[in-house]
Amino acid sequence: MPFLFDFARWAPWVVLAFSALVLPVLLFIPAPYGRHLRAGWGPTMPAKLGWFVMELPSFALFGALLFTLNPWRVDPSVLLLGALWLLHYGQRTLVFPLLMRGDGKRKPVLTVVMAIVFNLLNASGNALQLEPRGFDLRFFLGVAIFLAGFGINLWADAKLRNLRKPGDSGYQVPRGGLYELVSCPNYFGELLEWTGFALAAWTLPALAFAVFTFANLFPRALAHHRWYRATFADYPASRRAVLPFVA
Ligand code: NDP
């Protein structure tokens, strides 16, 4: 299926173009979901279903393309990178939505459709362009950064989840651990994950995804941080938004 490989070759360039577009836009217009949900973005759907549907291509399509069409699919380094990706997206697609708290929360269908389009590009580019890497220092450093980020992301999302009792949908000030340094350690973990993945995979699609993750999550972290400071009078002044000691 040569057209799929052509599509995958173009995909990272489109992802980079998206990144250049979304970074400035999101600095002024926070993506309308979660605490930034507001009227004017069209029909909405249940948030849990939205998360499942929009992340599914990153899990199922990535796995299908990697294990059927990637010519290097039996190489140990490709298998390890594929396993890391599927570990992240298995959690994000199948576990995260089930555990989410905030009964009755909804998400604009538009955000789900945009995420699906993005994930189709990103998953196919990454699945088809993974290729063998030596088990050298750069590879292991990248894998270690990914795993550290994955651990931080899981810990930080669990911490937020536990601020709500089942059935609640309000917000509290998260405290403890990395929350003393930044408002959004879950995004910090996510940034580490895809930076580490890009380092280990050393492909254009992996680099493009790391760039996109920054373009998407850095403005969102700034918006969360502003929201926390405006909402809680006693919000700790020393916290940064997402990068400890930096921003
Ligand atoms: P948020 O931090 O906005 O929210 C995560 C969950 O915790 C939501 O259910 C949210 O509820 C709840 N929550 C957040 N803050 C509080 C609080 N102070 N008190 C109580 N509950 C709270 O993350 P996102 O929803 O934006 O993202 C979820 C995951 O997806 C993260 O791990 C993120 O890294 C990842 N992600 C990755 C992207 C990428 O580009 N790679 C893009 C977007 C997300 P509610 O929804 O009701 O606000």
Side-chain angles (χ1 to χ4, degrees):
M1 280 186 263
F3 77 92
L4 266 177
F5 283 91
D6 285 342
F7 179 72
R9 253 190 300 279
W10 277 100
W13 295 106
V14 180
V15 168
L16 286 170
F18 272 170
S19 309
L21 188 73
V22 299
L23 178 65
V25 170
L26 292 177
L27 283 173
F28 296 100
I29 309 172
Y33 73 92
R35 79 197 64 190
H36 306 293
L37 179 65
R38 53 210 185 269
W41 293 88
T44 60
M45 64 190 291
K48 285 179 182 229
L49 180 63
W51 275 100
F52 171 74
V53 172
M54 74 187 204
E55 300 293 22
L56 191 59
S58 290
F59 181 63
L61 179 68
F62 178 93
L65 292 178
L66 178 67
F67 293 121
T68 58
L69 293 181
N70 185 310
W72 307 106
R73 57 188 170 273
V74 293
D75 175 82
S77 64
V78 168
L79 280 175
L80 179 55
L81 290 166
L84 294 180
W85 180 289
L86 291 171
L87 176 69
H88 173 93
Y89 275 111
Q91 199 285 136
R92 175 74 75 242
T93 309
L94 305 172
V95 181
F96 177 77
L98 279 180
L99 297 180
M100 262 174 86
R101 293 192 179 159
D103 286 17
K105 287 267 174 158
R106 298 181 69 85
K107 224 173 158 26
V109 173
L110 181 67
T111 61
V112 174
V113 171
M114 286 169 69
I116 290 173
V117 171
F118 173 82
N119 284 334
L120 289 173
L121 284 161
N122 194 42
S124 42
N126 274 286
L128 291 177
Q129 290 188 49
L130 281 182
E131 52 187 45
R133 295 288 169 238
F135 287 129
D136 56 6
L137 183 63
R138 194 197 66 224
F139 184 88
F140 284 118
L141 188 64
V143 170
I145 292 172
F146 177 95
L147 289 173
F150 184 60
I152 289 170
N153 179 264
L154 286 185
W155 170 83
D157 274 343
K159 189 95 179 165
L160 293 178
R161 193 160 52 239
N162 290 319
L163 292 175
R164 289 180 179 160
K165 296 193 186 69
D168 280 0
S169 58
Y171 296 91
Q172 295 178 42
V173 176
R175 294 189 190 276
L178 269 175
Y179 279 102
E180 297 307 321
L181 297 182
V182 292
S183 295
C184 303
N186 52 347
Y187 297 166
F188 174 60
E190 188 95 25
L191 289 169
L192 285 181
E193 282 184 79
W194 300 114
T195 304
F197 189 86
L199 196 61
W202 210 248
T203 62
L204 183 62
L207 175 66
F209 185 32
V211 170
F212 178 84
T213 301
F214 180 84
N216 193 14
L217 292 185
F218 184 67
R220 188 165 177 81
L222 295 180
H224 277 22
H225 191 61
R226 278 195 304 271
W227 179 92
Y228 274 123
R229 292 168 80 136
T231 306
F232 299 102
D234 60 344
Y235 196 70
S238 60
R239 277 186 208 182
R240 300 302 178 108
V242 60
L243 302 175
F245 310 110
V246 178

